[in-house]
Amino acid sequence: MRTDRTHSEGHDLRHHGDAEVRDDGARLTDLAVNVRADTPPAWLRERIAGSLAGLAAYPDGRQAREAVAARHEVPVERVLLTAGAAEAFVLLARALTIRHAVVVHPQFTEPEAALRDAGHSVDRVLLREEDGFRLDPAAVPEDADLVVVGNPTNPTSVLHPAATIAELARPGRTLVVDEAFLDAVPGEREALAGRTDVPGLVVLRSLTKTWGLAGLRIGYVLAAPETIADLERAQPLWPVSTPALAAAVACMEPRALAEAAHAAHRVGTDRAHLVAGLREFAPDGLRVVEPAEGPFVLVRLPRATDVRRHLRDLGFAVRRGDTFPGLGEEWLRLAVRDRATVNSFLQALDQAVTLAQH
C-alpha cells in the first residue's frame, strides 16, 4: 500500500461500465455494468408509473426522506436524498472546506473526478494486489481531512471490516464511505450506514444497483445534521424527481428490503459459480481477487485487452480495468449474472483466451 501524489494522467476517471454497452450494446450480453439484471421488478415499475399523475406538482421529498431515516433508524436531519450517489460526490467536493483530500484506490473513480473538477488536489492511497487490496488505515496520511473509501469496493469486490474503516475517523476529518453495493452483501455485513458514533462519518447509498434504477438517479447520504445542511445548500432546488422519490419510498418498505436480502443471497450463489468457473483458467494465467463479496469480481489475466476484444466479438461486454488507478491493462471486472449466463460466458472466455494466445 502506498500514497500516490500523481494526478489523473493515464486513467480516464470518467470511463464507466456503461461505455462498454453504449451504441451497439443491444447485441451484447452485459457483464460490464454492475446493475442487477432483470430489474426494476414489475411492482416497482408500477409504483414509479403511478407517480406520473403527480408530475404537475413540484417534488416533495419529505416522505422519502422519512422512509430512509426509518429504514436506518436515524433522525431525518441525518438524511439527504440525491440524484444517485454520484451527485453526492459532487456536493461533497463543492460544499466542504477541504485542505487535503485522499481517495483510497482502486475504487469508483467519480469521487476523485468530482474533487478535481471542484479544484481540489487529490492524493491516492493505492491498495496492493499482494495484500489482497485490503485496507491498512495507517497508510492514510494523518493530516488528511477528507478520506474516501468504498465498501464493498468497486472494482475489487473486497469487503473491508467496518471496524477497520472506522479506524480512519479523526477529529476534523470527513470520512466518506461509499456503500453503493452494500445491500448486495447478505445481512449487509460491515455496514456503517446508521452509525452515529463515528466522528465525521458520511455514508453514501445508491438504489440504482440492486433495483436497476440507473436511469432514474436516486441515492442518499447519511451524515451528521450539520454536514447534511452544508450539502443541501449546495443542491439545486428540487434535485430529485417525483418518480425517483416514489421509488425511494417503495424501496424502503419491508417487502422491498426482504426482496433485496433474497437477491443478495442469490448473488452470492451466482458469484460462487462464476468464481469456480474462472479458477479453471488458472493454467492460462488468470487470477481472481478473492474473497469477492460484491455483485462483481475482478480478474487479472495476460493479454486482457485482446481477450476483451474477442469477448465482444463473441457477444459479451466486460469492464476494462485500466481506468482504475492502481490497476493496469491486464485487469477486467465482471458483473455477476445468473448461472446460465455465466456458463455461456465461460464458454466464450475459453474461446477468447485461446484466440488471444495466437
Side-chain angles (χ1 to χ4, degrees):
M1 190 179 308
R2 62 187 176 89
T3 301
D4 183 358
R5 293 184 176 269
T6 61
H7 295 284
S8 57
E9 291 87 349
H11 296 94
D12 180 2
L13 300 180
R14 296 295 189 187
H15 181 92
H16 302 297
D18 63 312
E20 310 284 356
V21 292
R22 199 176 294 141
D23 300 327
D24 62 345
R27 66 178 182 84
L28 301 172
T29 299
D30 178 13
L31 275 74
V33 177
N34 288 329
V35 172
R36 189 176 128 214
D38 300 322
T39 51
W43 63 264
L44 182 53
R45 293 198 303 270
E46 291 171 3
R47 289 286 290 274
I48 294 169
S51 73
L52 300 181
L55 291 186
Y58 285 97
D60 182 348
R62 288 176 296 178
Q63 184 184 4
R65 194 174 183 182
E66 290 169 359
V68 172
R71 183 254 199 268
H72 291 287
E73 300 181 339
V74 297
V76 293
E77 293 79 15
R78 298 185 69 95
V79 176
L80 182 69
L81 303 172
T82 59
E87 188 206 4
F89 293 123
V90 174
L91 296 176
L92 288 162
R94 293 179 179 177
L96 301 186
T97 300
I98 301 168
R99 298 182 308 276
H100 185 187
V102 171
V103 178
V104 179
H105 284 289
Q107 78 150 332
F108 184 50
T109 53
E110 201 60 31
E112 180 173 327
L115 287 163
R116 293 191 184 280
D117 287 347
H120 303 290
S121 61
V122 180
D123 286 347
R124 297 170 178 169
V125 170
L126 301 180
L127 308 185
R128 301 186 303 176
E129 177 187 7
E130 51 265 41
D131 297 329
F133 296 107
R134 309 300 301 184
L135 174 65
D136 177 6
V140 175
E142 195 64 32
D143 66 342
D145 61 348
L146 177 78
V147 179
V148 185
V149 61
N151 204 38
T153 303
N154 170 21
T156 64
S157 208
V158 169
L159 182 67
H160 304 292
T164 300
I165 294 179
E167 287 181 38
L168 292 171
R170 300 281 188 281
R173 171 184 288 177
T174 300
L175 173 58
V176 180
V177 184
D178 178 6
E179 291 188 350
F181 295 99
L182 214 291
D183 59 353
V185 176
E188 297 198 355
R189 301 189 331 274
E190 312 304 342
L192 286 166
R195 291 274 296 271
T196 60
D197 60 322
V198 181
L201 177 65
V202 177
V203 175
L204 310 184
R205 285 287 183 108
S206 170
L207 299 178
T208 65
K209 314 301 183 184
T210 288
W211 297 111
L213 298 175
L216 196 61
R217 312 308 307 143
I218 178 65
Y220 54 90
V221 181
L222 303 172
E226 56 270 24
T227 301
I228 293 297
D230 288 340
L231 299 180
E232 191 168 19
R233 280 192 292 270
Q235 275 188 315
L237 291 173
W238 311 292
V240 181
S241 70
T242 294
L245 293 172
V249 172
C251 292
M252 297 300 114
E253 293 172 354
R255 167 188 176 176
L257 297 178
E259 182 174 324
H262 176 74
H265 285 284
R266 188 171 68 248
V267 165
T269 299
D270 291 339
R271 183 182 59 240
H273 180 64
L274 172 61
V275 170
L278 291 170
R279 289 187 189 132
E280 298 298 317
F281 291 87
D284 299 298
L286 186 148
R287 180 185 178 277
V288 186
V289 175
E290 296 187 71
E293 301 282 0
F296 46 86
V297 298
L298 182 66
V299 300
R300 184 175 189 172
L301 73 161
R303 297 171 291 277
T305 300
D306 293 334
V307 170
R308 185 168 65 90
R309 187 183 74 251
H310 290 307
L311 281 170
R312 194 173 187 86
D313 292 339
L314 293 165
F316 290 86
V318 298
R319 171 69 158 88
R320 57 189 280 202
D322 61 314
T323 64
F324 293 101
L327 302 181
E329 292 184 351
E330 66 275 23
W331 293 93
L332 299 173
R333 189 194 69 194
L334 313 174
V336 174
R337 298 293 185 242
D338 63 90
R339 182 177 290 255
T341 301
V342 166
N343 288 343
S344 297
F345 167 73
L346 292 171
Q347 293 175 356
L349 179 61
D350 188 32
Q351 297 179 57
V353 168
T354 300
L355 290 168
Q357 291 172 344
H358 294 86

